[in-house]
Structures are given as structure tokens and as C-alpha cells.
Amino acid sequence: MALTETQAAPRRLDTPDWWRQAAVYQIYPRSFADANGDGIGDLRGIVSRVDYLDTLGIDAVWLSPFYPSELADGGYDVADYRDVDPRLGTLADFDDMVAALHARGIKIIVDIVPNHSSDRHELFQAALAAPKGSPERDRYIFRDGLGENGELPPADWKSVFGGPAWEPVGDGQWYFHHFAKEQPDFNWDNPDVHEEFVTTLRFWSDRGVDGFRVDVAHGLVKDLPDVLPSAAELDAMDRTDGRHPLWDRDEVHEVYAEWRQVFDEYDPPRIAVAEAWVATPERRAKYATPEGLGQAFNFDLLEADFDAAQFRHIISDNLAQSAATGSSSTWVLSNHDVVRHATRYGLAPLNGRRVKQGTEWILAGGPEDELDREGGLRRARAATLFVLALPGSTYLYQGEELGLHEVADIPAAQRQDPAFFRGADHDKDGLGRDGCRVPLPWTSDGPSFGFGAGIAHLPQPEWLGASSVAVEDGDPASTLSLYRRALALRHELQTGEQLEWIETGRDDVLRFARPNGWQAVANFGTEGYALGAGEQVVVSSAPVAHGVLPGATAAWLVPSAD
Ligand code: NOJ
Ligand code: CA
């Protein structure tokens, strides 16, 4: 195999199976690019950066919600599932964006939020206006309060973001919300709710979207008895048998079987990926069957340290699970809900509690003396390169290709994340997600580092300019150049979905081969690892000299041409 520094044009997969081994780039629309200078990223901003996405070499973009929303939860409180938030653009802008992406062979996945709507959604407004026991109220989860006049909540449950999970509506009834109080949960026993989402899936599919990312896919179906269990009882209940009252119930797969029929009405069939935080990889696999959503996020690497044993275990486990259902695995190191992986890996190892640890660091005000910025980025680059060689899809989060760190020092007055405010008692994890949602730096100066003509909606620290696209663009050692090279090579090298581990004689060095001889090796330790003679390094996350892979470095190898 002869691969030179000259990169072939990226080849994107144009088969119905494109999703199986795609590199999907997550755009958080409000923070990507702002075309009209109001400080909020928008769809025309995305259109203006399509060349950037093309050159980056990704296969698909996934857009976090861009629907009309009061922004109680960064857009995951949807007021209308079939429109664009006027602050972000119009349906015509959406169509232009789809056309611009498709013209470059880039697929588009949109976010669907079926567990809850916004409290501004017309169905919830109708439920509030209608009396107790009405068909309108039945579309959400209402219960009578306890106490003489219903003045006490039906149960002592806490929401995922902290604070109570039941909210009174003033007539003795209360509604249930897993997340913020502005996000009432739908009642999926009601056929109207099914119809609402089938209509929505067709609406976007008809507009040309290629697939859907399904928010809180494990939460939709509930089974609440007349006498509700206490929070402590709920917590103690098994989450692995499909019978927990709130999470990961087996019946949820009936919803996805219904959706599969809609996906299959299209040619090629629309694809879906489940966000399902479930108890075991076996439970996750149920979301990824061909009769269901087809693919499910594997978040295990978010929790893992930069540690060979943890990586090996997670990789082997997930490849086995996805093979068992006929799906392909997914790999995620960063997204809009967690502390960026360059930062997580810059904190001292903590035995597989990375997400929580990053959160604790944010809550402590992001002490600079606890963060090894350079080491964190070095490990992040190595982890990404290693993961990009794995069979399956990789989901990348905007800004990681610039090697961005988390922004820790956002003043409380400028924070937007409801988890920050609701969890003010600090008894929950997942707090303070604004630091990974700070608008991207495109240039090294300007009012918002080229994000737009105005000041960005979240404060951008000074150091962001040094990691801007303009600075990294022409620098062969930059993280952007590393991602571009790796993604272009990935198109050339992509092959069958098998992986064979190669023993390295070292506990801290992992190495595997793909069927065509493409190999990836990662040194998770500090001592150099000698590569074999005749092994050609085609890309590495840090310089490799004299055939020795330094610590905290990954490389891709191909058999030498001669
Ligand atoms: C998961 C999303 O990724 C997160 O951002 C959101 O807050 C919750 N679901 C609720 O929709
Ligand atoms: Ca704007």
C-alpha cells in the first residue's frame, strides 16, 4: 500500500449503509457560525462554512435542535417540531443548507426530541387550558397532587437536572418532567403523540434529511402505577429487566418499530441513532437493531481515562455487542453535554469517572493548577486518532478538531444551562454544560473571533484566538491539520468492520489491525514504543522519530510499499 503525503480527494460513502462507518460532525447551531451578527449562530452561518466542513473531510453533520424554542434547555425544549427558530433562520434557509451539504456529498442528521416538548408547544398549552381528565391533558403526564387540595407533589422525585420532577398547574394537578420544568414529558400511551412524531419524521425526511439522532430514546415510555413509588424506591429498582417505571422499558421498542416503517418508506432508508443511557451494553444493543433505530451511541469512552486497559475493554465489548445486533458501533469522545476531552484528559486520572470528574472541576471554578492543558490535548489527539481507525462510526463534536479546551470561567450571570441553575445544590452530575458550547473561533481576533460580526451569546476567553481556524489552517502541526489528514486517509483506508488485536508485550500500548493491513497503535504510557522495521507511519498524533512512538501518542501504520 503506497500512501504519500499527497491526500486523495475524500471519498464519501454513497450507499444505504453509509452510516455504518461514517465520521459524523456534531454542530451545535447556536455556537457554530453567526451570519447576521446578532451573536447567535444560525443556518446561514452553517451554509457559509460548508467549504470548511468539506475540507475537514467529515461524512455527515448532525445538527442539535434548531427548532423554535424558548431555550430553557439549549433548544432541547422544542415548541414546534416542524419549523426553524426565527433567530436561526427559515425553512428556506434549511433547504439551502441541505442542498449545500448534499452538493458536497455530506449527509445531514437532525435531532428529534420525543421524550418531552417545550411548555410552549401548542399541545401543552392546550393541555393547560383544558380541564383535568381531558383528552388534551392525556397527551402529557398529569397526576393529582397529594394533600387536601393537591398542594403537595404526587411523589418526591427529582429531575435529571436537579430539583423536583413534578410541577403544579394550579388546579390540584401536577405534570411530570424528567428535565427542566419547561420540558413536560409526553404520554406515549396516547396515539396522538405517536402521530405527532410520525408526521415530524416524514416532514424532515421529505425535506431531504438523511437521518435522526433520537434524544433520550430510553425515556419515552413510562408505566406509572396509581400509587407512585418514592424516589428512594425508584432508585432501588432494577434497570436491566425492561420493567423500570421510567427508564428503558421494553415497550419503547414498539415506538421505534413504528418509526422504522417510516424510515423505510424512503430511498435510501432514513437512518437513526439512539441516545440511550442504559444500564448495560446488552440493553443498549436493543436500540440498535435493524427493526429499531439501527444504531445507538456508545458513551463508554466519555467515562474512561486515557488508559490502555479501559480502552481495550470498551472497544472489545462494544464491537461484540454491535456485531450481535447487526449494527455497527459508535465512538464518542466529546459532545455538547460533557467537558471537552482535551480538558478531561488534562485532569489527573481518576479510575473511570471522567465525566463526573470534569463536572466537579467545573464546579470548583476550573482551577488552572489542576489542569495540564498541553498534556490533555496531547492525549486527546492520540485518543481521537486511535478511535478514528476503529470499525464503526465516530461522532466528532464541533471545536474538537481545533483542540479546544473547556471554557471553565463563565460567570453565573452569563450561564445558560438549566442544569447549572437547577443543580445549584450541587448534588447532581451533568452540570454546567455551557463551557463546551462557547462559539467557535474562526479568526484570531475580532469581536467574536470571526464567529460573527457581533459579540457571541456566551463569553469567549482570550486564549480561544490562538486555536482559531485561521491560525491552525496552515500549520501542519495543528490539531485541525491532524483531523483533516486522518479523515482524508480514513476514506482511503476504510475497510471491512473487523479488528484484530496485536499483542505488543506492553500493558500500556494497544495495537490493532483492520482486514486490509491498516493498523493503529496507541502508546498510553510514557516510555517510547519501538515500531517494527518496514512499518510506514501515515499519520501520527505527535512526531515519531527513529521509529519510536513516544508516550501519549497514536499512529496509523500501513505495510511498507517495498
Ligand atoms: C440529551 C441532550 O443531549 C441534552 O443536551 C438535553 O439537555 C437532554 N437530552 C434533554 O433533552
Ligand atoms: Ca445569528
Side-chain angles (χ1 to χ4, degrees), residues 231-253:
E233 285 166 338
L234 262 187
D235 273 354
M237 286 179 192
D238 189 8
R239 287 215 192 179
T240 60
D241 64 359
R243 295 173 59 192
H244 189 279
L246 295 178
W247 295 114
D248 191 24
R249 291 189 64 79
D250 284 337
E251 300 91 318
V252 81
H253 300 294

Side-chain angles (χ1 to χ4, degrees), residues 110 198-212 262-263 265-266 270-271:
V110 299
V198 163
T199 307
T200 297
L201 295 175
R202 288 207 181 97
F203 179 86
W204 294 109
S205 298
D206 290 345
R207 292 197 107 87
V209 313
D210 302 284
F212 302 92
V262 178
F263 301 151
E265 288 167 7
Y266 293 86
R270 299 324 189 214
I271 69 113

Side-chain angles (χ1 to χ4, degrees), residues 8 46 93 105 144 209 228 264 270 273 293 343 377 454 494 502 522:
I46 298 173
D93 293 335
D144 289 334
V209 313
L228 298 176
D264 288 352
R270 299 324 189 214
V273 55
L293 294 176
T343 302
L377 177 55
Q494 197 55 278
I502 298 172

